[in-house]
């Protein structure tokens, strides 16, 4: 029975490795994601102002940049973590990220409706920058520390 | 009531393959080098174990590139995921069974 327990524990430790050993994102990663979200929000604004080609081009460029980043990141990491199988510590951090994303939307919509699109886009950029930075530099590392402690 | 032993999967039960399946279950895809590094296995040993999982239909393998820059990537199949979860549940049931030491 001790062997079984050890095997299950070893399996749990192995399952945690894609999350624990994921390479730390670069310092500019929050800027990339904030720029991506802002570009996706700015695209329809440009289209509405009769600038269809620049609007769609901006969105396509943003999508391509993020896709390019993720392909490189996953190649470096060697594994693509599956969030549905994430350990509870990581899932909790992810839930906070999702709640934070909802807050970003609310703050941006409020700023947009009060002061127009320039303020709205500024709010999109700043709030998503803060959220991604918080997740990458505080929430996720904290989750990994808790996970390491549990499986030690 | 069926004994949990009946649900133990002989292919997955080997410790190295169980650990590999645990990593595969936690990922969308994983490279040969990631598995080698984290399972601390030699190339031939890992190849042999992954071939057994592939032969059982539990993993899919994709190779890209040639020579030194080539990469081998594994993905767990749906039947592999079901088999892994069944096997894991059986191990937990055996530990929880009456008469099992605390």
């Amino acid at each position: 029975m001790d062997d079984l327990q050890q095997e299950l524990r070893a399996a749990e430790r192995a399952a945690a490795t894609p999350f624990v050993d994921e390479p730390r994102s670069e310092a500019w990663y929050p800027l990339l994601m904030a720029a991506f979200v802002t570009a996706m929000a700015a695209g329809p604004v440009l289209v509405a102002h009769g600038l269809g080609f620049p609007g769609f081009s901006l969105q396509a460029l943003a999508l391509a940049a993020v896709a390019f980043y993720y392909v490189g990141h996953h190649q470096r990491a060697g594994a693509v973590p599956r969030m549905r199988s994430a350990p509870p510590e990581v899932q909790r951090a992810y839930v906070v990220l999702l709640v934070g994303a909802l807050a970003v939307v609310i703050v941006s919509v409020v700023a947009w409706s009060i002061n127009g699109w320039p303020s709205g886009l500024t709010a999109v950029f700043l709030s998503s920058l803060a959220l991604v930075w918080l997740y990458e530099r505080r929430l996720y590392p904290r989750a990994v520390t808790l996970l390491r402690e549990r499986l030690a | 009531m069926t004994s949990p032993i009946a649900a133990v999967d002989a292919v997955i039960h080997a410790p190295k393959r169980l650990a590999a399946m645990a990593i595969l279950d936690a990922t969308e895809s994983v490279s040969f080098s990631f598995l080698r590094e984290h399972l601390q296995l030699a190339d031939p040993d890992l190849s042999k174990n992954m071939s057994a999982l592939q032969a059982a239909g539990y993993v899919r393998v994709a190779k890209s590139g040639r020579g030194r820059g080539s990469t081998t990537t594994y993905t767990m199949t749906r039947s592999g995921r079901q088999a892994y979860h069944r096997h894991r549940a059986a191990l937990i049931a055996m530990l929880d069974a009456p008469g099992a030491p605390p």
Side-chain angles (χ1 to χ4, degrees):
Chain A
M1 286 297 167
D2 276 356
D3 287 350
L4 274 187
Q5 249 161 356
Q6 278 173 12
E7 277 181 33
L8 277 169
R9 195 107 176 116
E12 199 177 3
R13 272 198 290 268
T17 55
F19 299 93
V20 169
D21 294 337
E22 186 165 20
R24 184 185 157 99
S25 61
E26 294 77 1
W28 44 264
Y29 175 75
L31 273 174
L32 172 73
M33 290 312 293
F36 167 74
V37 176
T38 309
M40 296 313 280
V45 175
L46 290 171
V47 173
H49 283 78
L51 298 166
F53 181 72
F56 290 124
S57 300
L58 181 67
Q59 288 186 319
L61 191 70
L63 276 171
V66 168
F68 185 75
Y69 173 81
Y70 276 114
V71 168
H73 180 76
H74 291 319
Q75 273 177 353
R76 277 195 308 279
V80 182
R82 187 172 182 256
M83 211 36 90
R84 279 172 62 190
S85 306
E89 293 86 350
V90 174
Q91 281 192 348
R92 277 195 289 275
Y94 195 63
V95 167
V96 175
L97 175 69
L98 292 180
V99 172
L102 187 65
V104 165
V105 171
I106 292 169
V107 166
S108 304
V109 166
V110 169
W112 201 304
S113 56
I114 293 173
N115 291 319
W117 66 263
S119 294
L121 288 179
T122 306
V124 169
F125 181 79
L126 292 178
S127 56
S128 54
L129 179 66
L131 177 64
V132 176
W133 183 89
L134 184 72
Y135 179 76
E136 291 292 322
R137 297 290 175 261
R138 292 287 180 268
L139 295 173
Y140 196 85
R142 175 84 185 131
V144 167
T145 303
L146 291 172
L147 182 57
R148 278 188 207 275
E149 284 171 6
R150 180 165 66 82
L151 297 178
Chain B
M1 196 176 127
T2 317
S3 161
I5 294 176
V8 168
D9 190 308
V11 178
I12 303 175
H13 194 59
K16 292 169 188 173
R17 290 202 282 267
L18 177 64
M21 287 294 273
I23 292 178
L24 283 156
D25 183 52
T27 53
E28 302 291 349
S29 64
V30 64
S31 68
F32 184 90
S33 55
F34 185 95
L35 289 171
R36 181 184 56 204
E37 185 185 328
H38 289 83
L39 298 175
Q40 296 179 325
L41 297 177
D43 285 10
D45 195 6
L46 179 57
S47 287
K48 195 178 77 178
N49 281 294
M50 295 312 290
S51 295
L53 293 173
Q54 194 188 351
Y58 292 167
V59 298
R60 263 191 303 271
V61 60
K63 295 181 187 219
S64 63
R66 282 183 174 193
R68 287 167 63 97
S70 67
T71 53
T72 303
T73 308
Y74 296 98
T75 309
M76 193 180 235
T77 62
R78 183 190 291 261
S79 65
R81 212 172 288 284
Q82 288 168 345
Y84 172 70
H85 285 278
R86 243 189 340 262
H87 179 78
R88 196 167 173 275
L91 295 187
I92 292 168
M94 284 163 71
L95 283 173
D96 291 344

